[in-house]
Amino acid sequence: MRILLGVLPAVFLAGCNTAERREPIPPPPSPSAVLPALPASPAAALGPVLDGNGACTGPAPGTAAAIETGIGECDLVRLKGRPPTDVLVGEGRSGREVQVLYTEPGAKELYFFVNNRLDRIVR
């Protein structure tokens, strides 16, 4: 029994010495090496959009000829020919959500945009 008790500590210590001789684990890669660069802001990826005051953040592409679903926020302002009465900019489940209000004589028009594309019109 004494021989066995004398051998066990030597076995445990030998295992510890082996662990110390292993190569160190390399550090993880830096986050910039793993993830691709993101745009400066989500709105930058959408092109020119309206700010909270109803002004375009860049030149309107000018490709839309009529107010219909799918046009951009700045195209709406260009086609209307005047700034909106009110603009509400926010983030929703789908991304950037914008509500643009135009007060017309005798009526109000509300335009809903999702990610810089006209989704629907309420008159």
Side-chain angles (χ1 to χ4, degrees):
M1 189 76 157
R2 288 185 182 186
I3 296 173
L4 185 59
L5 291 177
V7 172
L8 284 177
V11 170
F12 287 122
L13 290 176
C16 291
N17 289 336
T18 305
E20 290 176 13
R21 282 184 261 146
R22 291 184 183 166
E23 302 254 346
I25 297 173
S30 68
S32 61
V34 176
L35 299 175
L38 297 175
S41 71
L46 300 175
V49 293
L50 295 178
D51 63 14
N53 296 323
C56 283
T57 58
T63 57
I67 298 174
E68 57 191 8
T69 58
I71 67 170
E73 299 167 19
C74 291
D75 279 332
L76 173 69
V77 175
R78 180 182 57 80
L79 291 169
K80 284 293 219 179
R82 60 186 174 88
T85 307
D86 196 15
V87 176
L88 179 62
V89 179
E91 292 292 321
R93 285 188 225 161
S94 301
R96 177 184 164 89
E97 295 183 1
V98 178
Q99 297 177 16
V100 180
L101 173 68
Y102 275 95
T103 303
E104 302 290 339
K108 293 182 181 179
E109 296 176 348
L110 191 56
Y111 299 87
F112 292 91
F113 290 85
V114 176
N115 292 325
N116 197 22
R117 294 290 163 241
L118 182 58
D119 186 56
R120 67 185 192 277
I121 304 169
V122 177
R123 296 177 189 201

